[in-house]
Amino acid sequence: MDFCIGAAAAMAATLLTNPFDVLKTRTHLQGELKTRGNYVAHYKGPFQSIAIIIKKEGILALQKGLLPSVLNQGVRNGIKLGFYGWLSNSGYLCDAGNRTIFYNSLVASAFGGGVGAFLGTPLYTLTTQFQAKASPEIAVGYQHEHTSLVQALKTTYNTSGVRGLWKGTNANVVRSVVGAAAQLTTFTQTKEVLREYEVFRYSRVLTAFIAGTFGGICQSLLQTPFDLVCVRVNNQYVDPTGRGALYQGMIDCFYKIVKYEGVLGLYKGFLITHIKNGRHTTLYLMFWELLKAHQYDVRPIKDPSRSCYYDSRDI
């Protein structure tokens, strides 16, 4: 049940935040391996980017890649939140005073995030490629000719085999390990601080909203360079032997971005990235808290005193 709750929360949040993911993907690909001023910047900010996509492609283009994105988030966050929730309910993440143990929380979130990222890699890759596909007038990065999720999976497998479906795995896993560790650890620590104040003790939604906001900020600050690299590696053209046209892997991608775009190039599109990560993190962690509360009403955990999620002040 913990895994299903995590997946449902993330999938629901994705329905609302996918348009920002489309903006993030295109901003990351804009000016790929080019110095500032030597490329046409189609996407210049959140509002302008939304406006130009609607103008050139129609409003539905803001939901490109929605199906693989929803499925990807279900797999990745279902495993991450499910594993974290199971460990918490089993008493492995709290001390005798029912306070979250920082290092245990850090390792649990990082491990769950890494496993989820590995299993969700094919869906993440295709999400990136669907979102990057644009009108020729505002296209950035390599343009993949996918027509549906099933067709894309078949084509990728027929061209490059299983290896092709899991290309960019190293970058995806590292990205998720860093992001998950920052996100969930900050969320739980912030939530515990807030619960010391009476105004937050009786409002699960408000507490989760503020804690999720801080979790999203930390995630964006630490994860953006890895996010950028993942988008670049997963969207590039790859020949049948698995060789990328631009990058040979995560390290090579980091090196070339710094070489051609400078160190600040690693934070290209940070504002849009934070809008997407911040909103998605806040929403799905808030949904997660609400679903957990319902879960405890329907099926109480065996020993609530050992769970970091349980607080006698909630009842």
Side-chain angles (χ1 to χ4, degrees):
M1 182 60 74
D2 291 318
F3 295 89
C4 293
I5 285 175
M11 293 168 80
T14 302
L15 294 173
L16 301 174
T17 60
N18 190 64
F20 296 109
D21 206 14
V22 173
L23 302 188
K24 183 202 73 173
T25 295
R26 296 189 183 187
T27 303
H28 283 342
L29 292 170
Q30 183 167 252
E32 190 168 16
L33 299 185
K34 295 180 180 179
T35 57
R36 189 177 183 87
N38 289 324
Y39 60 88
V40 178
H42 298 297
Y43 308 100
K44 302 175 183 178
F47 298 109
Q48 181 272 343
S49 298
I50 290 173
I52 196 171
I53 289 175
I54 293 176
K55 179 181 179 180
K56 300 295 184 180
E57 302 177 63
I59 194 169
L60 293 181
L62 292 172
Q63 288 288 16
K64 281 192 173 182
L66 180 62
L67 178 57
S69 182
V70 168
L71 295 176
N72 171 51
Q73 291 295 336
V75 172
R76 295 162 74 101
N77 286 298
I79 292 173
K80 178 177 70 179
L81 297 180
F83 180 70
Y84 193 90
W86 174 75
L87 286 177
S88 180
N89 289 341
S90 300
Y92 295 112
L93 303 184
C94 299
D95 58 22
N98 203 33
R99 305 285 295 184
T100 301
I101 303 171
F102 177 80
Y103 293 108
N104 291 18
S105 175
L106 191 71
V107 172
S109 54
F111 180 80
V115 173
F118 174 78
L119 295 178
T121 289
L123 291 167
Y124 176 82
T125 298
L126 294 181
T127 296
T128 299
Q129 294 173 2
F130 273 108
Q131 292 175 341
K133 179 63 177 174
S135 166
E137 300 169 89
I138 56 174
V140 290
Y142 184 77
Q143 300 290 289
H144 294 266
E145 300 298 330
H146 299 316
T147 57
S148 70
L149 177 57
V150 174
Q151 174 272 327
L153 289 169
K154 286 183 177 179
T155 299
T156 303
Y157 177 76
N158 291 336
T159 302
S160 306
V162 174
R163 181 179 178 181
L165 292 172
W166 264 269
K167 76 166 185 174
T169 297
N170 291 342
N172 292 340
V173 170
V174 172
R175 166 189 175 273
S176 290
V177 166
V178 172
Q183 180 193 74
L184 273 183
T185 302
T186 303
F187 174 74
T188 54
Q189 294 291 321
T190 302
K191 191 171 65 170
E192 288 189 355
V193 171
L194 293 175
R195 299 302 277 279
E196 297 299 322
Y197 300 90
E198 187 172 356
V199 67
F200 295 107
R201 294 177 185 174
Y202 305 103
S203 179
R204 186 181 293 271
V205 173
L206 180 60
T207 303
F209 178 82
I210 295 178
T213 298
F214 278 98
I217 292 172
C218 289
Q219 179 190 16
S220 297
L221 288 171
L222 295 177
Q223 192 184 53
T224 293
F226 299 97
D227 219 343
L228 178 73
V229 167
C230 275
V231 169
R232 298 277 182 91
V233 170
N234 283 292
N235 189 67
Q236 69 175 333
Y237 170 75
V238 177
D239 66 26
T241 65
R243 184 179 181 82
L246 296 176
Y247 315 106
Q248 302 311 306
M250 178 179 67
I251 302 300
D252 184 52
C253 186
F254 267 112
Y255 170 75
K256 288 181 177 177
I257 290 173
V258 173
K259 178 180 179 181
Y260 293 103
E261 302 174 54
V263 175
L264 292 181
L266 293 172
Y267 277 88
K268 179 177 287 184
F270 175 77
L271 176 59
I272 292 178
T273 298
H274 175 59
I275 291 174
K276 184 270 173 180
N277 287 346
R279 300 298 73 73
H280 188 265
T281 296
T282 300
L283 286 171
Y284 91 73
L285 290 178
M286 188 167 64
F287 292 159
W288 187 42
E289 286 289 303
L290 293 174
L291 289 172
K292 285 188 298 177
H294 178 69
Q295 176 194 14
Y296 297 161
D297 289 338
V298 175
R299 181 182 60 82
I301 54 180
K302 293 180 180 179
D303 186 0
S305 64
R306 299 182 65 209
S307 172
C308 302
Y309 296 147
Y310 179 86
D311 195 316
S312 60
R313 293 168 292 193
D314 288 337
I315 57 175

